[in-house]
Amino acid sequence: MKILVCVKRVVDYNVKIRVKADGSGVDLANVKMSMNPFDEIAVEEAIRLKEKGGVSEIVVASIGPAQAQETIRTALAMGADRGILVKAEGRVEPLAVAKILKQLVETEAPDLVILGKQAIDDDSNQTGQMLAALLGWAQGTFASKLELGDGQALVTREVDGGLQTLNLKLPAIVTTDLRLNEPRYASLPNIMKAKKKPLDEKAVEDFGVDVTPRLEVLTTSEPAKRQAGVIVGSVDELIGKLKNEAGLL
Ligand code: AMP
């Protein structure tokens, strides 16, 4: 059994985002970049499945700039076996990513593809679903539990008002939600070992996919600044303010 995990290089979730002065986007100069947090969960899940037995190889794929190599190396240091970087500059939208991943799936022939439920930079939540549609495969999105059986995967999904369990016929697509697992940290020896693991580089041009963005970003703006709070002296004063100033009562 082979698992393909998709990882995207995004702005680190701890970074305080700065919007460019001309509003054309987010300032990425000298900003710390990391693996998309949901993709760390995807890598962790694949490793846990391999540790349980029955998984022979974990391949990690990323579409992005040369620096996305580091993102793949992080996954290799966590425990994945091999990486594929499809080099592409600039913004590659989910449909183009899904079309490239489809070709990788066709050559790699994994039994399971695990992606994050969304990338925290574009918040699209589209790639996994589009890949499943392009391949005509079953999909289990927003997974909070994943169990592999004979030719099938049991996926528990977080849906409005509860949990839903799906039985997917393999090969299938799974996207991860936050509660699926807590990703491990890579140990120093494993970081060293990961440097020697195979990482194949390909050019986006070789896939014949038009990666020109279909969406134009018109403007990007910071959220409105929150006003400072006030400390009220009594409950009566609070009720007065809620009635007369906030208009809530
Ligand atoms: P999105 O649809 O952009 O919110 O991304 C959902 C998931 O698709 C991410 O968590 C990744 O697992 C995968 N993904 C999106 N973009 C890329 C990319 N450029 N390279 C590899 N995987 C990606």
Side-chain angles (χ1 to χ4, degrees):
M1 165 124 189
K2 180 168 167 181
I3 303 181
L4 178 72
V5 185
C6 308
V7 299
K8 186 178 186 188
R9 180 176 185 266
V10 298
V11 174
D12 188 272
Y13 72 97
N14 281 310
V15 167
K16 170 126 178 38
I17 297 294
R18 284 185 318 265
V19 170
K20 284 188 198 160
D22 62 3
S24 63
V26 168
D27 192 357
L28 294 179
N30 304 317
V31 166
K32 180 173 186 236
M33 307 290 282
S34 300
M35 189 190 304
N36 183 43
F38 293 106
D39 303 350
E40 280 184 11
I41 295 173
V43 175
E44 175 66 34
E45 195 63 18
I47 297 167
R48 288 188 190 189
L49 290 170
K50 190 174 175 199
E51 285 168 348
K52 273 192 202 155
V55 175
S56 52
E57 191 180 32
I58 302 170
V59 181
V60 177
S62 190
I63 297 141
Q67 298 92 317
Q69 257 204 28
E70 294 161 21
T71 318
I72 295 176
R73 290 274 174 221
T74 305
L76 298 178
M78 285 171 75
D81 298 296
R82 177 160 69 81
I84 303 171
L85 169 64
V86 179
K87 269 202 201 165
E89 289 303 327
R91 192 161 56 91
V92 186
E93 289 178 351
L95 181 58
V97 171
K99 286 179 179 169
I100 295 166
L101 290 176
K102 175 176 182 262
Q103 293 188 31
L104 288 182
V105 167
E106 283 163 353
T107 39
E108 291 291 333
D111 302 279
L112 181 68
V113 182
I114 314 182
L115 305 91
K117 74 166 177 182
Q118 76 193 66
I120 62 165
D121 52 358
D122 58 21
D123 275 343
S124 294
N125 175 9
Q126 295 173 357
T127 310
Q129 294 88 330
M130 286 175 166
L131 179 60
L134 290 172
L135 289 164
W137 285 12
Q139 58 178 300
T141 51
F142 307 96
S144 59
K145 193 169 170 207
L146 172 59
E147 280 171 306
L148 296 183
D150 190 19
Q152 60 190 30
L154 271 191
V155 179
T156 305
R157 310 180 58 228
E158 301 200 0
V159 293
D160 276 354
L163 298 173
Q164 178 191 52
T165 303
L166 299 178
N167 191 346
L168 307 181
K169 198 165 136 269
L170 297 178
I173 306 288
V174 168
T175 74
T176 61
D177 213 329
L178 207 58
R179 273 169 284 270
L180 184 58
N181 62 49
E182 226 174 276
R184 68 195 65 191
Y185 288 104
S187 65
L188 192 57
N190 286 346
I191 294 173
M192 300 313 285
K193 267 193 231 154
K195 292 188 180 167
K196 296 207 182 87
K197 290 188 180 176
L199 201 172
D200 207 11
E201 281 194 18
K202 297 176 188 291
V204 74
E205 293 76 23
D206 297 341
F207 288 77
V209 172
D210 179 7
V211 293
T212 321
R214 297 330 197 239
L215 298 177
E216 184 193 350
V217 178
L218 297 180
T219 177
T220 308
S221 54
E222 304 237 1
K225 291 241 176 327
R226 281 182 65 179
Q227 288 185 348
V230 285
I231 295 177
V232 291
S234 67
V235 173
D236 286 343
E237 193 188 340
L238 173 65
I239 291 174
K241 277 185 182 295
L242 289 175
K243 253 192 204 155
N244 306 324
E245 291 176 26
L248 289 176
L249 295 178

